[in-house]
Amino acid sequence: MMILGISAFYHDSAAALLQDGKIVAAAQEERFSRKKHDERFPQHAVRFCLDHAGLSLDDVDHVVFYDKPLIKFERLLETYLAYAPSGFSSFAAAMPVWLREKLFLKDLLKKELAKIGECKPTEIPSLLFTQHHQSHAASAFYPSPFEKAAVMCLDGVGEWATSTVWLGDGKKLTPQWEIDFPHSLGLLYSAFTYFTGFRVNSGEYKLMGLAPYGEPVYVDLILDNLLDVKEDGTFRMDMKYFNYANGLTMTNENMDKLFGGPPRTPETPVTQREMDIARSIQVVTEEIVLKLAKTAHKELQTDYLCLAGGVALNCVSNGRLLREGPFKDIWIQPAAGDAGGALGAAMSVWHEYLGNERTVDKHDSMQGSYLGPRYADDEIAAYLDSVGAKYERLDDSELMPKLAGILDSENVVGWMQGRMEFGPRALGGRSIIGDPRSKKMQSVMNLKIKYRESFRPFAPSVAHDRVSEFFEFDSDKHVSPYMLIVAPVHEDKRIPMSEEQQQLFGIKKLNVPRSEIPSITHVDYSARLQTVHPETNPRYYDLIKSFESKTDCPIVINTSFNVRGEPIVCTPEDAYRCFMRTEMDYLVIENHLMAKSEQPKWEKDDSWKDEFELD
C-alpha cells in the first residue's frame, strides 16, 4: 500500500511517501527548486519520492492533500464579511487567486499529478483531504516514540483552528478542543516578527535568537493590551492592534502608538527596542505554551506530549516545557511546519482512514529525519570532474581523523553526506561545521560564510553520550536529535562575566566569551542542542568522536549548509557552488575532500547575493 502526502500553496510545500505505513521518503520542494519556502505544487519533491521508491504514480494507492480548501475559503469569506468594508483591499487581493486556483484545488492537483504520471487527470489515484491540524497532529503523534500522549498543535492558522489539543492512543487520534482564528499564538508571534522588521513565515527564528539580548520590559504592555490570557492558557486577542484578518500587513497604527513608533524597516540596524520587544513576546509565548501544556496534562492524564505546528519550532519554549512542564518527556515533529503536514496527512490516511494498527518505535520512526535524496560516489565524482574540482577520495578511517585536525585548526568545513534532512534544520546531512571552542568562529561563520546578522547564534551537535557533561540536559531521560530543544550550558563550563561585562547591553554582549565552547553559547548561556546518535547518523557521530579523540571536545558547531536566504543545499552541485562562493575552507561530499586553496579559479561575482530573497 503506497500513500503519497502533499502540502502546498501556502508556504513550504512538500511531499512524503509511505509504504505499508513506513516512511520511505519526504522532502520540501524548495530544496529542488532553490526557492526558499517554495509554496508551489511540489512537483520535484513528488518525483523524488516516487523515484526513490522505484515507483510510478500508477503504483500509488492514495494521494492525500494536507488541508481542506473549501473550509479555508469559508473562513476567509466569513472573516471578510465580519470586517467589511474595511477589509476590501485584502479581499480584492486574495480573491483572484482563490477563484483561479485554490477553490478548484482538486482539479489543480489532478492536473499537476497527471503531468507527473503522464496520464489523464481521470486516471490518477484516489485523492483524499485531511484537515490542516489533523495533519499536524498525525505528524506529531504517529511517528513519536509514545504509545499514548497528549498532542498539541500550535500554528498561524489552518482552516479555522490555530491551536488544537488531541489525545493520541494507539492508532487513534481524538480531537479535544481548539482555539480558532483570528486568535492565534502563531500569528501573534508573526505579528511581532513583522513589527521588528523580519519576514513573516521565515524570520520568526531570528526573533527568537534576538530575544536573549533584550529585557522583558514590554511583557505587561502586551498582556494588558494585546491579549487576554486565562489561567488555562486559552486566550483572546484584541484585534484592534492587528491587521492580518482584514488588511495587507500584520499590525496597524494602534500597535505603533502602543509601542511608541512604527515597525522597524527591514535591513536597518537592530536596536535595543527590537531586542526588548523580542524578549517580551518570547516570554509571553513561553508562558502561554506552558499554561496550555499544563491544561492538556491535567485533562488527559498522560505522561507524554507531542508537538507540531510552526510554534513547535520555538526551541526556547520547548526547552522550558521539558524542564518546567508537567510531562515526563516531549517529542516534536522535526518538520513541525507545513512541510510536515504532507507526512501527517499520509499517516492519517494509513491509520485513521484505512484503520491500520500502529507499531511504536522506541526511538521514533522518523529515521533521524534523513528522508531526502543521497548521491552515489560515481555521481559525485562525475560532477566534480565536470567542473575541474580538485579532490581526494579517502576512506572513513583516513577521512575522519584528517577532518578532526582540519576542524581543530579553526577551519570551516562544508559537510554533505547521506540522505538530506526533512524539515528546516540541518542535522549533519547538509551542514557547515566548525570548532565550538574557537572564540572567532561565530563571527567568521555569520559574516564571511552565511552573510547574515552577527547576532545569530549557532547550534552544537553533541555526541549523545557526553551531552550531560556540557549541558544541563539529562541524557538518561531525554534526547534532542532534531535540534528543537534549548538547554543551558553546564555551570562548570561557563566563564563568569565581570561586573563591567555584566553591564553591557545588546549586541556588545556577543563579544564576551561565556563558556569553554563560546561559539555555540548564546548570550544567556543557552544552546540549541542536537544530540547525535550512531543509530541514525553513524558517519556524523564518527566525525564528532574523531574530533573528541583529538581535542576531548565531543561537540562541533552545526549550521545549515546555505547562505542567507538560500534553501539548504541538496545536490553535489549546490554544495560545491555554495563552497566556492563563500569563505569556507574545506568541503566534504561523502568521501571526497576538497581544500579551497586547491580549487580552480572561481569567477568572483557577488550578484548571486541578490539571487535569494532575504528573510
Side-chain angles (χ1 to χ4, degrees):
M1 171 70 69
M2 307 299 302
I3 303 170
L4 178 66
I6 291 172
S7 62
F9 304 126
Y10 293 95
H11 52 87
D12 298 304
S13 68
L17 186 68
L18 296 190
Q19 181 172 24
D20 297 331
K22 182 179 165 58
I23 307 166
V24 174
Q28 294 116 292
E29 181 69 3
E30 64 162 30
R31 305 295 167 83
F32 306 96
S33 69
R34 311 308 297 154
K35 181 191 174 194
K36 187 99 169 169
H37 304 300
D38 199 339
E39 79 291 354
R40 295 170 293 182
F41 178 82
Q43 55 166 320
H44 300 94
V46 170
R47 286 184 201 277
F48 153 69
C49 287
L50 295 174
D51 289 347
H52 181 82
L55 301 176
S56 68
L57 197 63
D58 284 348
D59 301 310
V60 173
D61 298 282
H62 298 284
V63 178
V64 55
F65 189 72
Y66 82 129
D67 73 12
K68 296 198 172 185
L70 286 179
I71 303 178
K72 189 172 280 187
F73 188 64
E74 171 195 284
R75 188 251 299 165
L76 286 176
L77 283 182
E78 287 197 21
T79 303
Y80 288 130
L81 287 172
Y83 285 89
S86 70
F88 182 74
S89 56
S90 164
F91 181 82
M95 278 307 104
V97 180
W98 272 93
L99 294 174
R100 191 173 61 245
E101 295 178 356
K102 293 180 180 175
L103 203 52
F104 306 101
L105 196 65
K106 196 169 185 177
D107 289 339
L108 180 62
L109 287 170
K110 284 184 173 179
K111 282 179 189 168
E112 293 290 347
L113 288 164
K115 284 184 207 167
I116 291 171
E118 298 180 347
C119 62
K120 295 177 183 173
T122 53
E123 294 171 348
I124 67 159
S126 91
L127 189 53
L128 302 168
F129 294 82
T130 55
Q131 291 204 25
H132 190 91
H133 270 237
Q134 182 184 13
S135 301
H136 276 319
S139 77
F141 177 62
Y142 290 127
S144 80
F146 309 136
E147 180 66 38
K148 184 177 180 180
V151 182
M152 211 157 71
C153 303
L154 308 169
D155 71 353
V157 62
E159 291 87 0
W160 279 101
T162 65
S163 308
T164 55
V165 170
W166 307 66
L167 176 63
D169 190 356
K171 67 178 180 180
K172 274 188 165 179
L173 255 178
T174 309
Q176 304 295 306
W177 48 265
E178 67 183 54
I179 299 172
D180 284 347
F181 184 86
H183 311 290
S184 164
L185 189 55
L187 289 175
L188 175 69
Y189 206 84
S190 291
F192 279 94
T193 301
Y194 165 83
F195 196 72
T196 48
F198 301 116
R199 191 176 173 198
V200 172
N201 285 334
S202 174
E204 281 77 3
Y205 58 97
K206 292 187 187 179
L207 193 65
M208 184 180 70
L210 192 62
Y213 295 101
E215 299 297 329
V217 295
Y218 296 111
V219 168
D220 289 343
L221 190 73
I222 293 170
L223 291 174
D224 290 344
N225 294 277
L226 299 186
L227 74 168
D228 176 24
V229 184
K230 305 295 183 193
E231 197 47 43
D232 64 3
T234 58
F235 58 90
R236 286 185 69 80
M237 294 164 64
D238 187 338
M239 295 307 295
K240 77 177 183 186
Y241 295 96
F242 302 96
N243 215 21
Y244 59 76
N246 61 332
L248 299 173
T249 57
M250 293 299 291
T251 60
N252 59 28
E253 63 279 3
N254 292 327
M255 186 84 147
D256 303 354
K257 285 178 195 162
L258 189 66
F259 283 88
R264 168 182 161 256
T265 302
E267 303 303 308
T268 58
V270 173
T271 68
Q272 191 64 42
R273 175 185 180 239
E274 282 79 46
M275 297 174 198
D276 292 342
I277 290 174
R279 176 70 180 275
S280 302
I281 190 59
Q282 179 64 32
V283 168
V284 170
T285 301
E286 290 168 21
E287 291 302 323
I288 292 173
V289 171
L290 276 169
K291 284 183 174 178
L292 288 171
K294 284 176 184 169
T295 301
H297 180 261
K298 184 178 172 187
E299 291 179 352
L300 300 179
Q301 298 288 305
T302 58
D303 290 330
Y304 303 102
L305 175 69
C306 300
L307 291 161
V311 179
L313 294 171
N314 192 313
C315 41
V316 180
S317 166
N318 296 339
R320 279 195 68 193
L321 198 49
L322 187 65
R323 291 191 300 277
E324 302 172 33
F327 294 96
K328 285 184 181 173
D329 204 0
I330 65 175
W331 189 86
I332 306 138
Q333 163 57 239
D338 275 9
L343 177 63
M347 299 197 97
S348 176
V349 168
W350 176 252
H351 293 294
E352 295 189 284
Y353 181 74
L354 298 172
N356 288 298
E357 294 299 324
R358 172 169 174 256
T359 304
V360 177
D361 184 319
K362 67 176 182 177
H363 297 295
D364 82 35
S365 55
M366 286 297 293
Q367 303 159 49
S369 213
Y370 305 107
L371 300 168
R374 75 175 301 166
Y375 294 85
D377 255 16
D378 57 346
E379 292 177 282
I380 297 163
Y383 170 72
L384 295 177
D385 291 341
S386 76
V387 293
K390 302 294 180 193
Y391 61 89
E392 57 179 335
R393 192 194 179 288
L394 301 172
D395 290 337
D396 280 3
S397 57
E398 264 189 284
L399 177 65
M400 299 307 177
K402 188 161 186 171
L403 279 175
I406 287 171
L407 290 168
D408 186 34
S409 302
E410 295 191 295
N411 290 294
V412 179
V413 178
W415 166 261
M416 170 179 166
Q417 56 98 34
R419 295 185 69 178
M420 185 178 70
E421 302 89 341
F422 180 50
R425 306 284 182 231
L427 301 170
R430 306 288 187 275
S431 295
I432 298 172
I433 56 179
D435 183 350
R437 302 166 305 158
S438 167
K439 292 177 184 172
K440 68 175 187 180
M441 198 54 74
Q442 180 176 10
S443 167
V444 167
M445 281 190 163
N446 267 331
L447 300 178
K448 293 188 175 179
I449 312 290
K450 303 280 283 185
Y451 301 108
R452 68 183 199 182
E453 301 91 337
S454 60
F455 68 82
R456 305 271 297 277
F458 287 109
S461 292
V462 195
H464 74 99
D465 41 321
R466 288 191 66 190
V467 63
S468 300
E469 195 181 317
F470 285 81
F471 303 94
E472 292 176 8
F473 186 84
D474 188 343
S475 60
D476 291 332
K477 294 181 180 174
H478 311 293
V479 293
S480 179
Y482 304 121
M483 207 186 277
L484 286 171
I485 291 173
V486 161
V489 171
H490 204 289
E491 196 80 41
D492 294 348
K493 306 295 180 189
R494 297 183 188 183
I495 299 173
M497 293 174 84
S498 66
E499 279 189 27
E500 188 183 350
Q501 289 167 337
Q502 286 178 9
Q503 302 307 313
L504 295 173
F505 284 97
I507 299 289
K508 288 180 181 171
K509 289 180 183 171
L510 184 68
N511 298 323
V512 180
R514 293 163 302 281
S515 79
E516 294 175 17
I517 37 175
S519 287
I520 56 84
T521 304
H522 208 355
V523 291
D524 60 353
Y525 292 104
S526 70
R528 185 159 43 94
L529 284 185
Q530 181 199 0
T531 54
V532 180
H533 306 259
E535 297 85 2
T536 48
N537 197 338
R539 294 190 77 231
Y540 194 38
Y541 182 78
D542 283 352
L543 170 63
I544 292 170
K545 282 295 181 184
S546 292
F547 186 65
E548 179 192 26
S549 296
K550 187 170 185 63
T551 64
D552 196 35
C553 176
I555 304 169
V556 296
I557 301 173
N558 175 8
T559 185
S560 54
F561 197 156
N562 60 349
V563 292
R564 183 184 175 190
E566 179 192 19
I568 295 173
V569 301
C570 176
T571 65
E573 181 179 353
D574 297 336
Y576 188 74
R577 185 176 57 239
C578 187
F579 169 62
M580 293 303 291
R581 283 173 167 176
T582 64
E583 296 183 42
M584 262 182 268
D585 302 298
Y586 289 85
L587 171 65
V588 186
I589 305 180
E590 296 293 352
N591 290 85
H592 302 76
L593 174 63
M594 285 151 268
K596 174 66 69 60
S597 57
E598 297 172 1
Q599 298 310 302
K601 191 176 177 191
W602 186 269
E603 194 66 37
K604 184 145 179 87
D605 176 11
D606 283 346
S607 64
W608 62 272
K609 290 180 183 174
D610 301 324
E611 182 180 325
F612 303 113
E613 198 173 352
L614 297 179
D615 51 5

